[in-house]
Amino acid sequence: MAAEKEIVRLENVGLQYGSGPEVLRDISLSLAAGSFHFLTGASGAGKTSLLRLLYLAVRPSRGSLHLFDQDVSSIGRKQKPALRRRIGVVSREFGLIAHLTAAENVALPLRVSNARETQIRDYVTELLRWVGLGQDLDELPSALSDVQKQRVAIARAVIGRPDLLLADEPTGSVDDNAAIRLIHLLEELHKVGTTVLVATHNDSLVNRFGHPAYALDGGEMRRVGRVAGIRGARRPG
Amino acid sequence: MTSGRSHMGRVLPLGRDASSRYGAWIVAATVYVAALGLAAAMAIASAEQSWRGTFAGRISVQVPASPDGTENRVAETVALLLATPAIEEAVPIDEAVSRALLEPWLGAGPGLDALPLPTLIDVRLRRGTELDIVALEVALDAAVPGTRIDEHGLWLERVLRFTRALQAFGAALAALFALTAVATAVFATRAGLAAHGEAIGIMRLVGARDAGIARQFVAHSRNLAIKGGIVGCALAAATLFLLGRFAPGGTALMLPEMTLSPMQWGALAGLPLVVTALGMASARLTVMRALSRAG
């Protein structure tokens, strides 16, 4: 059987900010195309740093990072936009532009790609309806609840039909029911072939959905597998 | 169908920044001063040309008044001058003209009329020939004692040295203020980068190219510079027009008319374009460098 196509591959990656200590050490990780993974770990474990590596906000201090079969460990500035357009990012703080409406925020990835306005209008309306915000197209983020903001952020992350979706604590500021509905939304994207990696410190959420999980502890990848099945397990050595 | 680019201005609303509110006026003020400096330099250059045209190839000969009869001495001097191969023309200046020239300083009346004035002879030299001034002066003095030659050259050289310094000052002033206008564009760009850092970060996250982000700053800088440049240049043109109208005639100050040729007016009108081009280039450079540092 042919090997599954890898969207992400990290080999012995280390990350250091300036001259500080390494916040990620010897990280090796592989995400197959169309997979859904959780990335767990306590606050400060390095989840956000790992995601920042994956959406090219920082470069690894050592090791190799491959995205879409391309070594991006030392990629140039000019090559980043094309790769970033293949990656959707949902951040913990929503990352919405305060003076733009929900529709304008969602449209942003298409606008920076110079898509046609008619196409943008159709896609944005469709996506905001899909996330349940069909009536809130013209609302500013300040008029939306945290759950609604997170839905706008998800709509913006997926409007460009990304190959890889990275979500950093997308459920961090919503209640359990809303969190479950948000993960269901991400699962729908996964069903259409998007590779999804969700960073969360919420173990019960990870257990409920049963997708494979990578776990970070103090900057090291300690456990691999479903949280329920690997609790207490340690990497050999 | 419209392009998404037309909507990008809303993502970074640079026009609403505090720096933009006053930026155009600062550019207008600096372009105004730069335009006046440039106009002054160009007008002085024109005046210099005019002086050169007036005084180059000419000398004056002064024949002192004599109780024995000045007319004969003048006629003898003119004859001697015209006999010199390097001299094409020698025309005595009418005594009434000489007195009229002195009137503003000495006042009209019997005092001036009683004053024995030397007769001036305006001499035009033949082109392409060399005049031996010393030999001529010796010959004139021998024929008509007390006759003197005024060469203009030394005076002209001093005047030209001064006008060149004025020109350099005007040009430096124009350059300094044009650069100040450019610096205004750079500061507005930096303020915009600081004010919209978060939105720029989000734009890059969703795949915006640095050149695309810089384009918005360049367009903003262009708008500032064009608005300010046109206002500044128009005010400068109005000032120059009024100065031209209220300035006394050239002869009153013994100065040539300091006017601008159509080409010089064109150069003045090009100043906003130069400032705009420099502002746009500086804005792009500022943004690209800032984004490069941000990684």
Side-chain angles (χ1 to χ4, degrees):
Chain A
M1 200 169 83
E4 283 181 294
K5 191 183 170 194
E6 284 178 327
I7 290 277
V8 175
R9 194 173 80 244
L10 284 82
E11 288 170 0
N12 302 314
V13 164
L15 176 65
Q16 190 177 11
Y17 292 111
S19 56
E22 276 197 323
V23 293
L24 292 175
R25 288 184 292 280
D26 299 321
I27 302 293
S28 294
L29 161 80
S30 166
L31 299 181
S35 63
F36 191 121
H37 285 83
F38 283 109
L39 178 65
T40 66
S43 290
K47 301 188 296 293
T48 298
S49 291
L50 182 54
L51 294 188
R52 280 168 59 80
L53 269 175
L54 296 180
Y55 60 75
L56 308 172
V58 287
R59 284 181 186 171
S61 315
R62 59 188 172 84
S64 73
L65 166 59
H66 285 75
L67 289 177
F68 316 114
D69 285 331
Q70 190 179 342
D71 186 354
V72 296
S73 312
S74 55
I75 193 172
R77 196 160 53 98
K78 285 185 179 169
Q79 294 155 285
K80 285 182 182 178
L83 285 166
R84 280 176 174 154
R85 288 176 191 183
R86 299 181 67 182
I87 304 169
V89 180
V90 180
S91 70
R92 190 179 353 194
E93 297 88 5
F94 318 122
L96 303 180
I97 297 177
H99 60 268
L100 298 184
T101 64
E104 287 169 331
N105 266 290
V106 173
L108 197 55
L110 297 183
R111 291 231 159 93
V112 301
S113 309
N114 290 323
R116 289 172 310 180
E117 273 307 304
T118 47
Q119 185 190 15
I120 292 174
R121 226 176 4 252
D122 293 347
Y123 279 18
V124 168
T125 308
E126 183 189 327
L127 263 178
L128 280 172
R129 279 195 192 130
W130 175 66
V131 296
L133 295 174
Q135 305 299 313
D136 302 297
L137 294 167
D138 297 324
E139 295 291 352
L140 291 173
S142 56
L144 300 174
S145 69
D146 282 356
V147 177
Q148 288 173 318
K149 285 178 194 167
Q150 198 58 284
R151 285 167 180 258
V152 173
I154 290 172
R156 187 184 65 195
V158 302
I159 196 166
R161 309 287 297 262
D163 296 314
L164 173 64
L165 180 71
L166 304 171
D168 187 7
E169 300 281 6
T171 60
S173 52
V174 300
D175 62 38
D176 284 351
N177 286 335
I180 290 165
R181 284 200 297 274
L182 282 174
I183 299 298
H184 278 306
L185 269 179
L186 299 180
E187 279 194 316
E188 284 187 47
L189 288 168
H190 168 234
K191 282 177 195 161
V192 297
T194 306
T195 305
V196 180
L197 179 63
V198 180
T200 178
H201 64 270
N202 186 339
D203 280 356
S204 63
L205 202 64
V206 177
N207 290 334
R208 182 185 179 98
F209 283 89
H211 294 293
Y214 283 98
L216 277 169
D217 183 8
E220 292 182 32
M221 200 70 88
R222 289 289 188 199
R223 303 171 295 190
V224 180
R226 284 184 61 182
V227 173
I230 53 145
R231 193 169 294 281
R234 293 278 168 188
R235 197 172 56 176
Chain B
M1 235 176 301
T2 53
S3 144
R5 193 177 290 174
S6 59
H7 291 261
M8 290 305 288
R10 261 188 61 70
V11 181
L12 297 178
L14 300 169
R16 282 191 248 150
D17 290 352
S19 59
S20 302
R21 223 169 295 154
Y22 308 108
W25 288 109
I26 296 171
V27 172
T30 50
V31 166
Y32 173 73
V33 180
L36 290 185
L38 186 64
M42 291 189 301
I44 291 168
S46 299
E48 185 186 307
Q49 289 268 320
S50 171
W51 273 321
R52 277 182 191 282
T54 304
F55 294 111
R58 282 181 185 274
I59 58 172
S60 294
V61 175
Q62 221 178 93
V63 183
S66 167
D68 304 335
T70 307
E71 275 179 28
N72 290 340
R73 292 159 60 86
V74 170
E76 197 175 341
T77 307
V78 168
L80 195 64
L81 288 168
L82 290 176
T84 308
I87 290 175
E88 186 162 335
E89 190 181 52
V91 181
I93 294 174
D94 191 66
E95 193 185 334
V97 174
S98 296
R99 288 190 189 283
L101 286 171
L102 289 173
E103 213 175 84
W105 282 275
L106 302 178
L112 181 60
D113 293 337
L115 199 67
L117 291 181
T119 301
L120 291 173
I121 301 170
D122 185 24
V123 176
R124 188 151 58 86
L125 305 180
R126 201 181 297 281
R127 279 189 181 183
T129 58
E130 193 96 354
L131 175 68
D132 185 345
I133 294 277
V134 178
L136 179 65
E137 198 158 33
V138 169
L140 285 174
D141 194 46
V144 183
T147 304
R148 275 180 42 218
I149 295 177
D150 190 351
E151 203 187 337
H152 305 312
L154 187 63
W155 173 85
L156 186 63
E157 198 45 52
R158 280 181 186 156
V159 169
L160 292 183
R161 215 179 300 150
F162 178 63
T163 57
R164 278 184 210 125
L166 282 179
Q167 271 182 67
F169 177 70
L173 199 69
L176 182 70
F177 276 83
L179 285 176
T180 307
V182 171
T184 305
V186 171
F187 285 132
T189 301
R190 285 194 179 161
L193 281 169
H196 303 285
E198 198 179 338
I200 290 169
I202 293 167
M203 288 175 75
R204 296 182 96 194
L205 187 68
V206 300
R209 294 181 198 285
D210 292 353
I213 295 169
R215 205 178 295 130
Q216 294 199 46
F217 282 90
V218 169
H220 175 60
S221 177
R222 181 197 59 211
N223 293 343
L224 269 188
I226 284 181
K227 274 185 213 160
I230 288 175
V231 170
C233 221
L235 288 175
T239 304
L240 292 172
F241 177 74
L242 290 174
L243 281 176
R245 286 202 64 162
F246 293 119
T251 51
L253 291 175
M254 296 191 72
L255 291 171
E257 296 274 1
M258 287 202 273
T259 52
L260 297 179
S261 67
M263 198 182 284
Q264 288 172 327
W265 278 110
L268 216 54
L271 191 63
L273 297 179
V274 173
V275 168
T276 302
L278 287 174
M280 288 167 71
S282 310
R284 183 183 159 79
L285 200 66
T286 305
V287 174
M288 294 303 275
R289 283 179 68 176
L291 294 180
S292 166
R293 276 197 296 270

